[in-house]
């Protein structure tokens, strides 16, 4: 059966397998578990001429009638690491530049599909709870679709992230408390007003299915299955997307292995790492969020089964979980900006710190192929980085006075120093 014709009812709960409807997405009515769409049954290649998510319209629950919504989400470059390979102590390191998505984060992969769902169903408006990036993503795609949007963010949201959503005309409201409070209000608002909920936990299986595109792309960009894919995790939809894509490809006979997932959380909010370390099946909510790494600070209060499902997936890949301290993630972000030219927010740069830890622990070997998902752009949080104001100069002599000595030698000498 063609995936596009699949009846809505075939979504299912990952914990109790109960079939679920997807028009008013919510958690499983039976057990509260996360609901997902089953893997797409069609064999590769299932790409179309369209751009962005619609390139995979054969495998995702979208039709060409909504292709006008695309802003070129996905199709992000995969590049080799240069200087930061040494920082991570690994030789074969690749970066998937998902911060180059239209609104600056991988969330656009899900939002594009979610907004298409809103248009197709005739939803009056969309709502989402967000630690910051889903806010900008939802606001941008809602603007393009001509739909009103409300985004609910935690009170400690980075101001630059709220500003992006405001620029796109969303109603942006800070909800007292941490992310889980925003999450609960978004869920209630969607139910009360009949709006579509685009929150990127596992609450909307249609939107979440859009994250499979990241896995499809990696499979096209690499001639082998990577040994590890490193993913920052709030509740884990991106892990689900990547693993589901590779499972589909395996079912289609493309390869036999799954990439191992290295899941990354912030030390001050690490409910899934905690369950991994204690070797238990069930994830429990994190009591008090204490981290500056906002993008992955999800305590899972009210929906811990998201974490339980994500941990199950990580284990199915023979993967692992690592917690990263704020200072390590910030140091990694600095290294990426200074040594690689990549401006990445700490929540995504945390991946590099996790690779270093996993190398230390002997989990990742030096010659293994490692892909880090650089999920979010650093520009939205740059102002908060506490940088000094740029020195003010009036003329060329002032400028020369400000420069490091080795850069002001004669041009011949300088030419010798230019990296080739
Ligand atoms: C939302 C977000 C994550 C967490 O992803 P989930 O799949 O929701 O767990 C990671 N990195 C960045 C930059 C994000 O915005
Ligand atoms: Zn269930």
């Amino acid at each position: 059966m063609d995936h596009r014709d699949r009846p809505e009812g075939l979504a299912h709960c990952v914990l109790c397998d109960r079939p679920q409807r997807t028009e008013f997405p919510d958690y499983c009515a039976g057990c509260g578990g996360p609901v997902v769409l089953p893997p797409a049954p069609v064999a590769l290649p299932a790409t179309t001429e369209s751009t962005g998510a619609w390139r995979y319209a054969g495998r995702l629950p979208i039709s060409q009638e909504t292709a006008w919504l695309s802003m070129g989400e996905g199709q992000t470059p995969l590049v080799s690491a240069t200087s930061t390979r040494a920082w991570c102590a690994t030789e074969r390191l690749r970066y998937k530049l998902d911060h180059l998505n239209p609104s600056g984060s991988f969330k656009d992969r899900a939002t594009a599909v979610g907004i298409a769902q809103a248009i197709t169903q005739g939803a009056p408006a969309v709502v989402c709870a967000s630690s910051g990036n889903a806010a900008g993503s939802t606001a941008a795609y809602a603007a393009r679709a001509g739909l009103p949007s409300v985004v609910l963010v935690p009170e400690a949201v980075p101001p630059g992230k709220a500003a992006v959503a405001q620029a796109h005309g969303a109603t942006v409201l800070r909800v007292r408390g941490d992310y889980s409070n925003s999450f609960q209000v978004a869920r209630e608002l969607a139910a009360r007003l009949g709006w579509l909920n685009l929150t990127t936990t596992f609450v909307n299986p249609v939107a979440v299915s859009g994250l499979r595109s990241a896995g499809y792309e990696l499979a096209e960009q690499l001639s082998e299955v990577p040994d590890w894919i490193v993913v920052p995790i709030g509740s884990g939809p991106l892990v689900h997307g990547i693993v589901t894509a590779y499972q589909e490809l395996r079912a289609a006979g493309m390869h036999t292995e799954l990439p191992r997932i290295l899941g990354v959380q912030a030390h001050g909010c690490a409910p899934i790492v905690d369950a991994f370390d204690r070797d238990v099946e069930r994830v429990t909510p994190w009591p008090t969020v204490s981290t500056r790494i906002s993008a992955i600070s999800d305590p899972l209060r009210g929906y811990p089964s998201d974490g339980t499902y994500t941990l199950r997936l990580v284990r199915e890949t023979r993967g692992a979980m690592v917690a990263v301290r704020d200072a390590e993630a910030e140091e990694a972000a600095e290294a990426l900006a200074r040594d690689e030219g990549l401006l990445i927010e700490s929540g995504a740069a945390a991946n590099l710190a996790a690779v270093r830890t996993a190398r230390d622990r002997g989990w990742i070997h030096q010659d293994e192929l490692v892909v880090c998902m650089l999920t979010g752009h650093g520009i939205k949080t740059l102002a908060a980085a506490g940088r000094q104001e740029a020195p003010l100069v009036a003329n060329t002599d002032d400028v020369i006075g400000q420069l490091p000595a080795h850069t002001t030698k004669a041009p011949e000498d300088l030419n010798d120093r230019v990296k080739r």
Side-chain angles (χ1 to χ4, degrees):
M1 181 178 60
D2 190 312
H3 186 57
R4 282 162 293 182
D5 300 325
R6 177 187 292 136
E8 294 278 336
L10 281 192
H12 67 280
C13 169
V14 299
L15 298 186
C16 75
D17 226 30
R18 194 188 228 243
Q20 310 279 333
R21 301 172 67 86
T22 55
E23 310 92 292
F24 291 104
D26 204 349
Y27 286 89
C28 171
C31 78
V35 176
V36 300
L37 300 186
V42 287
L44 272 187
T47 56
T48 72
E49 299 280 287
S50 300
T51 148
W54 282 264
R55 185 168 141 75
Y56 299 105
R59 325 201 103 222
L60 299 177
I62 45 178
S63 74
Q64 294 298 345
E65 282 96 79
T66 48
W68 58 274
L69 286 166
S70 181
M71 295 197 278
E73 57 288 333
Q75 292 172 271
T76 57
L78 182 71
V79 302
S80 290
T82 60
S83 313
T84 49
R85 280 182 311 178
W87 200 93
C88 294
T90 188
E91 282 303 313
R92 300 175 66 216
L93 184 60
R94 307 276 188 279
Y95 295 136
K96 178 77 167 151
L97 305 185
D98 255 34
H99 68 301
L100 299 182
N101 270 291
S103 80
S105 84
F106 81 96
K107 299 289 198 300
D108 293 336
R109 296 177 181 276
T111 307
V113 177
I115 285 282
Q117 180 192 13
I119 294 285
T120 306
Q121 288 180 193
V126 294
V127 57
C128 92
S130 168
S131 64
N133 283 328
S137 181
T138 297
Y141 279 85
R144 185 159 174 87
L147 281 176
S149 64
V150 171
V151 302
L152 302 167
V153 293
E155 58 180 278
V157 69
K161 289 187 175 175
V164 170
Q166 285 166 326
H168 291 301
T171 301
V172 181
L173 301 166
R174 288 188 307 138
V175 179
R176 275 190 203 286
D178 61 32
Y179 175 83
S180 289
N181 292 2
S182 309
F183 175 89
Q184 184 55 26
V185 176
R187 197 174 169 194
E188 285 166 14
L189 194 71
R192 205 185 291 183
L193 302 179
W195 293 4
L196 190 64
N197 191 350
L198 295 188
T199 301
T200 57
T201 56
F202 286 98
V203 81
N204 185 325
V206 173
V208 162
S209 74
L211 299 174
R212 293 173 189 185
S213 65
Y216 300 149
E217 288 170 26
L218 285 174
E220 287 179 55
Q221 289 169 318
L222 288 164
S223 56
E224 59 194 294
V225 176
D227 295 295
W228 293 89
I229 300 180
V230 191
V231 186
I233 297 180
S235 58
L238 182 56
V239 170
H240 162 80
I242 292 171
V243 173
T244 308
Y246 272 98
Q247 283 169 339
E248 289 176 11
L249 302 173
R250 187 175 60 176
M254 300 275 296
H255 52 74
T256 51
E257 295 290 307
L258 286 182
R260 300 169 82 168
I261 300 292
L262 181 67
V264 185
Q265 296 206 288
H267 204 271
C269 185
I272 305 175
V273 179
D274 177 63
F276 177 79
D277 286 345
R278 290 190 293 117
D279 206 20
V280 298
E281 201 179 307
R282 283 193 166 275
V283 170
T284 45
W286 190 258
T288 312
V289 174
S290 131
T291 174
R292 293 186 295 273
I293 312 177
S294 63
I296 47 174
S297 56
D298 186 341
L300 302 175
R301 200 174 50 256
Y303 45 100
S305 55
D306 274 19
T308 300
Y309 171 60
T310 297
L311 181 55
R312 193 176 91 191
L313 282 178
V314 168
R315 285 185 172 134
E316 273 171 29
T317 71
R318 301 178 304 121
M321 295 290 309
V322 166
V324 166
R325 293 188 183 278
D326 290 8
E328 293 178 290
E330 285 158 6
E331 195 194 315
E334 261 173 55
L336 278 170
R338 196 187 48 226
D339 303 334
E340 293 278 11
L342 295 171
L343 192 59
I344 304 298
E345 71 174 276
S346 63
N351 282 340
L352 276 72
V355 171
R356 192 152 78 168
T357 303
R359 283 280 296 124
D360 276 350
R361 294 181 182 173
W363 294 351
I364 294 184
H365 302 292
Q366 188 170 9
D367 59 348
E368 285 185 314
L369 179 60
V370 179
V371 174
C372 283
M373 298 298 299
L374 298 185
T375 45
H377 207 295
I379 198 128
K380 299 180 202 172
T381 47
L382 195 60
R387 228 162 287 274
Q388 272 182 356
E389 198 175 11
L392 184 66
V393 294
N395 56 44
T396 309
D397 283 339
D398 285 357
V399 173
I400 304 274
Q402 292 284 339
L403 298 179
H406 73 271
T407 63
T408 55
K409 299 250 166 62
E412 298 79 43
D413 295 340
L414 194 62
N415 278 340
D416 290 340
R417 302 178 144 272
V418 170
K419 267 200 270 179
R420 275 174 235 278

